[in-house]
Amino acid sequence: MSTTLSAELIQHMREWRHDIHQYPELAYQEQRTSEKVAQQLKQLGLAVYTGLGGTGVVGILQGKRTGSRHIALRADMDALPVAEANTFDYKSRHEGKMHACGHDGHTAILLGAATALAIHPDFAGTVYFIFQPAEEGQAGARSMMEDGLFTRFPIQEIYGLHNWPGLGVGKIAIHSAAVMAGTDSFDITFTGNGGHAAMPDTTHDPILMASHLVTAIQSIVARNTRPVDSGVVSVTHFQAGTGAYNVIPEQVQLRGTMRSLNNKQRHLLRQRLQQLVEHIPQAFGGSATLKLSPGYPPTINHAAQAESCRLVANALVGETNVQWNPEPSMGAEDFAYFLQEKPGAYFWLGNGELSKGGCHGHPLHSAYYDFNDDLLGLGAQFWVNLVKHLCL
């Protein structure tokens, strides 16, 4: 039996989304948002648990028919430290903070799905609605797991979505394996022997060392990885000297990021960078140290769960509107931690084509971005249909 979302519920979702958008909260500061979420879930009669991972919320709904399936649906709640440039009436009221990635929309979608399923719980099994803090670089998923998400609750499978600018409204993209990249950040410090720029023969120039390394780094992907494998190594920060025209400095600092779509590739990027850092400075009489800071692992779907999402999407929007195995993104997502522990899938919901005009035509993390309200009903309906598909 299908459950179709009412126009009244979709309007409520719109109001929830606009309210959350006006009061964005950064990672682990989502107090108001989590309180709003918990209050709404309690009004639905769900069992509600708060404080997981700091500000995370879990709502539990038991279907009215007997079943042993335990599935989880996840939405992220945090905002970004971005000053909003939009001028609509529900723009951010918190200076320097903004829902520039659509987590306000993800939260409203999951609240809408929880509402629809609570009103018509005609399914067999248990659904866990996970509202997660701190996706934006602070590993809120891992924090919830460390607080017992998978030990306190017998979750068998987990699913997540993200709006996707550049993908048309009404379209859904699903991957059977890699969805998004794993990340590593690096800091490299070069040490030489500084001195007068007019007497370079008396120095071991760390700027020269660092410049050669920046060039050599480009060979890691170009000459050490298979052409069919994806990888990125980018230097994003080069700091040297004091501004004097005639002084060769003692030290130089580089920073950057590496991206990869599987753990084998991730290991290769790390290994080759370490080798280059060790040997290139030595050729110029200096030395360097490398500090690697691991970020999120690759987000890799499980094939069976991705196939379930594909079947539900085909029935909901039509097969021609479902992209199966499009190119993965080299962006990162901490839903990856969940997928390392439990079978599941993560998919993209089209937010609209990118364009120069309109807040829905801007990329994620833009000061002009806004979640497209036309996705609210579609996203919640997908969650409802997925539950009915899995919990027969």
Side-chain angles (χ1 to χ4, degrees):
M1 179 179 178
S2 63
T3 299
T4 303
L5 272 68
S6 68
E8 181 182 12
L9 174 54
I10 294 174
Q11 179 57 32
H12 284 317
M13 293 165 63
R14 187 187 189 96
E15 293 167 358
W16 296 333
R17 208 278 291 183
H18 289 193
D19 178 77
I20 294 170
H21 189 93
Q22 290 181 75
Y23 302 98
E25 297 170 303
L26 302 181
Y28 299 116
Q29 300 174 22
E30 307 94 340
Q31 296 291 344
R32 182 184 185 275
T33 306
S34 63
E35 289 172 4
K36 182 180 182 69
V37 165
Q39 181 182 26
Q40 179 63 27
L41 296 176
K42 289 176 182 177
Q43 289 177 355
L44 296 171
L46 275 64
V48 178
Y49 298 83
T50 60
L52 278 85
T55 48
V57 180
V58 177
I60 304 175
L61 177 64
Q62 179 71 50
K64 70 179 182 181
R65 291 186 283 112
T66 303
S68 59
R69 203 78 177 256
H70 292 258
I71 68 169
L73 311 177
R74 172 269 207 169
D76 36 18
M77 301 187 294
D78 57 321
L80 284 158
V82 174
E84 183 159 11
N86 293 312
T87 58
F88 42 62
D89 58 1
Y90 58 88
K91 69 179 181 180
S92 172
R93 297 188 182 185
H94 289 171
E95 187 67 30
K97 302 175 185 178
M98 176 190 174
H99 272 292
C101 203
H103 297 183
D104 51 342
H106 304 164
T107 298
I109 283 174
L110 193 55
L111 279 176
T115 302
L117 288 166
I119 294 171
H120 300 288
D122 51 334
F123 62 91
T126 305
V127 181
Y128 301 82
F129 301 95
I130 298 173
F131 295 85
Q132 180 210 303
E135 187 280 326
E136 296 290 356
Q138 299 298 316
R142 185 176 61 196
S143 294
M144 292 191 78
M145 291 165 55
E146 290 171 349
D147 264 359
L149 180 65
F150 293 145
T151 55
R152 294 172 61 181
F153 310 109
I155 293 167
Q156 297 169 333
E157 304 172 39
I158 189 164
Y159 298 85
L161 65 76
H162 204 292
N163 77 94
W164 206 250
L167 185 64
V169 175
K171 297 183 182 295
I172 297 173
I174 306 168
H175 301 76
S176 63
V179 185
M180 302 182 78
T183 68
D184 292 293
S185 299
F186 57 84
D187 291 84
I188 305 171
T189 300
F190 296 84
T191 302
N193 178 25
H196 201 296
M199 307 171 193
D201 56 304
T202 66
T203 72
H204 296 123
D205 187 352
I207 293 179
L208 184 62
M209 302 173 204
S211 298
H212 275 269
L213 182 71
V214 170
T215 300
I217 278 174
Q218 311 311 312
S219 72
I220 296 177
V221 173
R223 287 296 177 266
N224 297 124
T225 67
R226 300 190 311 157
V228 294
D229 289 335
S230 296
V232 174
V233 185
S234 293
V235 176
T236 57
H237 177 91
F238 193 126
Q239 182 176 339
T242 61
Y245 289 96
N246 60 350
V247 176
I248 293 173
E250 293 283 337
Q251 289 193 330
V252 172
Q253 283 82 39
L254 297 185
R255 292 178 182 171
T257 185
M258 298 190 292
R259 308 285 171 123
S260 51
L261 290 172
N262 59 66
N263 289 321
K264 181 179 179 180
Q265 176 82 342
R266 192 180 192 188
H267 175 73
L268 173 64
L269 298 184
R270 291 173 173 177
Q271 182 183 51
R272 289 297 294 134
L273 180 61
Q274 180 68 57
Q275 291 169 341
L276 292 174
V277 169
E278 287 178 2
H279 295 293
I280 286 179
Q282 291 178 3
F284 297 95
S287 62
T289 59
L290 170 64
K291 177 186 176 184
L292 272 175
S293 301
Y296 297 161
T299 303
I300 302 176
N301 281 346
H302 295 252
Q305 285 67 33
E307 175 65 13
S308 292
C309 288
R310 187 177 73 88
L311 294 174
V312 170
N314 285 347
L316 181 61
V317 299
E319 190 170 353
T320 58
N321 290 313
V322 178
Q323 294 186 12
W324 180 243
N325 282 325
E327 289 185 357
S329 168
M330 298 310 286
E333 162 64 60
D334 78 342
F335 194 79
Y337 290 112
F338 293 146
L339 293 178
Q340 286 185 326
E341 297 296 323
K342 298 290 180 179
Y346 177 89
F347 65 92
W348 298 336
L349 194 62
N351 196 62
E353 300 292 343
L354 292 174
S355 66
K356 294 183 179 179
C359 51
H360 299 149
H362 292 277
L364 301 173
H365 295 206
S366 165
Y368 292 93
Y369 165 88
D370 187 38
F371 182 89
N372 193 335
D373 285 337
D374 290 344
L375 309 186
L376 293 170
L378 177 62
Q381 190 68 63
F382 183 98
W383 284 145
V384 169
N385 292 4
L386 180 66
V387 169
K388 301 298 178 70
H389 174 79
L390 295 174
C391 301
L392 298 175

